[in-house]
Amino acid sequence: MIRNKTVIRTLLFIRPMESMKKITPTAAELEILNILWNEEPLTVKDIHVLISKSKDVGYTTTLKTMQKMTEKGLLQRERNGKSHLYFSTRAKEETRGRLLDRLVDSAFGGSASSLVMQLLGNKKTSKDELDEIKQIIEQMKND
Amino acid sequence: MIRNKTVIRTLLFIRPMESMKKITPTAAELEILNILWNEEPLTVKDIHVLISKSKDVGYTTTLKTMQKMTEKGLLQRERNGKSHLYFSTRAKEETRGRLLDRLVDSAFGGSASSLVMQLLGNKKTSKDELDEIKQIIEQMKND
DNA sequence: TTTAAACTACGATACTTGTCGTACAAAGAT
DNA sequence: ATCTTTGTACGACAAGTATCGTAGTTTAAA
């Protein structure tokens, strides 16, 4: 049985369909997305300046990552004079939802309530957070 | 009689400092851990049979993955005749907690309540799940 | 005792991720 | 017009993941 995807695509003369792919960003990509979700659009430089505050990384690393993200369809860009303005193509909620689904499936046996239980029992979650979560639930009960 | 082997080995210092490393398992590793968290210990074959039900993968792939996990300290094993019996070294809750923390940090700006909101607003989370979650919260309020 | 079956060990491969360095292009500054 | 700055493009590389194939070892069967 042929398992190699590259081989299969070659044999079938098809290309990977970017639009159909449900891409979940990696950690480095999320760092960039978190910034863009807060303020769009931004240049590579803008983002790199922000990231550099908490992390020592080269400019071309950020650039390359954003180029890859654009290839993948996570970002779009448009020329703005000499440089580009980047913005995210997917709503924050959609991406977060997908990541959450993946975690629920892969680590919590598909049970979202197990995840919440874990979260509420987690020492790292602050009391304020817990109160806030409880309040959210309370509010939802009135639907 | 003490049945928990992880505890025994921890007390006997069978594993060195490796066990201190904070490793977060990958997707393929989680698949194996999910099985072991449910029933321990198991052989490579046991696990491979179970995984094969939902996934087409070679036996040596499962074997190799479990060998790597043992190297990393995620699993431990002991000879059992011709083969080995594997068991996980970390409590389910610890690993889940770490994965959850990572997601909260990387995708939800460190806000656990944002994560819960997202989860509750997620169409994919079933009504039953939602009810269950609400019930959990309700119960926690009585502390 | 030879053989077959069941296992393990280990190397190899393809892909992905994160990271830079270098080369090149465009726009100003001198 | 030439030099400097500010960008982009692109190749390269190390590390890690998932995946198998092949070879070798042990146990059980004939």
Side-chain angles (χ1 to χ4, degrees):
Chain A
M1 177 184 213
I2 302 175
R3 291 205 178 86
N4 187 306
K5 285 169 190 159
T6 304
V7 170
I8 293 174
R9 281 205 294 267
T10 303
L11 291 175
L12 298 181
F13 297 102
I14 58 175
R15 287 190 186 173
M17 288 203 247
E18 254 69 62
S19 52
M20 299 297 270
K21 261 193 174 179
K22 294 189 176 179
I23 293 183
T24 52
T26 65
E29 289 171 347
L30 269 174
E31 227 173 319
I32 289 166
L33 285 176
N34 275 313
I35 292 171
L36 285 174
W37 285 336
N38 188 53
E39 184 190 358
E40 270 181 322
L42 293 176
T43 64
V44 174
K45 183 176 181 182
D46 293 334
I47 296 202
H48 185 245
V49 166
L50 292 174
I51 287 184
S52 294
K53 287 183 182 175
S54 59
K55 197 183 170 191
D56 183 26
V57 72
Y59 176 85
T60 54
T61 300
T62 304
L63 170 67
K64 181 77 165 188
T65 302
M66 293 178 70
Q67 287 173 339
K68 286 255 193 79
M69 289 172 78
T70 305
E71 268 178 39
K72 288 190 197 175
L74 288 174
L75 300 182
Q76 279 190 340
R77 68 184 196 178
E78 59 187 28
R79 262 234 119 74
N80 179 31
K82 181 157 57 162
S83 69
H84 293 104
L85 283 173
Y86 286 80
F87 49 95
S88 64
T89 59
R90 285 158 176 69
K92 176 170 66 177
E93 290 71 24
E94 185 198 332
T95 300
R96 286 181 168 180
R98 213 193 303 290
L99 287 165
L100 208 35
D101 279 350
R102 191 173 62 173
L103 187 65
V104 168
D105 285 346
S106 69
F108 290 86
S111 161
S113 46
S114 291
L115 186 150
V116 173
M117 276 224 285
Q118 173 76 44
L119 197 59
L120 298 182
N122 191 338
K123 303 284 193 308
K124 281 219 175 166
T125 306
S126 74
K127 235 184 177 61
D128 285 351
E129 284 274 281
L130 281 179
D131 286 343
E132 201 175 339
I133 290 171
K134 288 174 186 171
Q135 209 171 338
I136 289 163
I137 304 283
E138 198 61 23
Q139 206 167 9
M140 291 207 69
K141 280 191 55 173
N142 304 330
D143 289 350
Chain B
M1 178 187 178
I2 301 174
R3 297 178 143 267
N4 188 317
K5 287 168 182 158
T6 303
V7 169
I8 293 174
R9 275 165 183 70
T10 301
L11 292 175
L12 296 180
F13 295 103
I14 286 179
R15 282 204 66 80
M17 289 301 137
E18 288 268 31
S19 53
M20 285 307 189
K21 271 193 179 171
K22 294 187 176 179
I23 291 181
T24 51
T26 65
E29 290 171 346
L30 270 174
E31 226 173 318
I32 289 166
L33 285 177
N34 275 314
I35 292 171
L36 286 175
W37 284 337
N38 188 52
E39 185 191 356
E40 269 181 321
L42 293 175
T43 63
V44 174
K45 183 177 182 182
D46 292 334
I47 296 202
H48 185 246
V49 166
L50 292 174
I51 287 184
S52 295
K53 286 183 181 172
S54 59
K55 195 184 171 190
D56 182 29
V57 72
Y59 176 84
T60 54
T61 300
T62 304
L63 170 66
K64 182 78 165 186
T65 302
M66 292 178 69
Q67 285 174 342
K68 285 258 192 78
M69 290 172 76
T70 304
E71 267 178 39
K72 287 190 197 175
L74 288 174
L75 300 182
Q76 280 190 357
R77 70 185 195 178
E78 58 187 28
R79 263 233 118 74
N80 180 31
K82 179 158 54 166
S83 68
H84 292 104
L85 282 173
Y86 286 80
F87 49 94
S88 63
T89 60
R90 285 158 177 68
K92 177 170 65 177
E93 290 71 23
E94 185 198 331
T95 300
R96 286 181 168 180
R98 214 194 302 290
L99 288 164
L100 205 37
D101 279 351
R102 193 174 59 174
L103 186 65
V104 167
D105 286 346
S106 69
F108 291 86
S111 160
S113 45
S114 291
L115 186 150
V116 174
M117 276 222 286
Q118 173 75 44
L119 197 59
L120 297 182
N122 191 339
K123 304 283 195 306
K124 283 218 173 165
T125 306
S126 75
K127 237 185 174 56
D128 285 352
E129 283 275 281
L130 281 180
D131 287 343
E132 201 175 339
I133 291 171
K134 288 173 186 172
Q135 211 171 339
I136 289 165
I137 304 281
E138 198 63 24
Q139 209 166 8
M140 292 205 68
K141 280 191 53 173
N142 304 330
D143 289 350

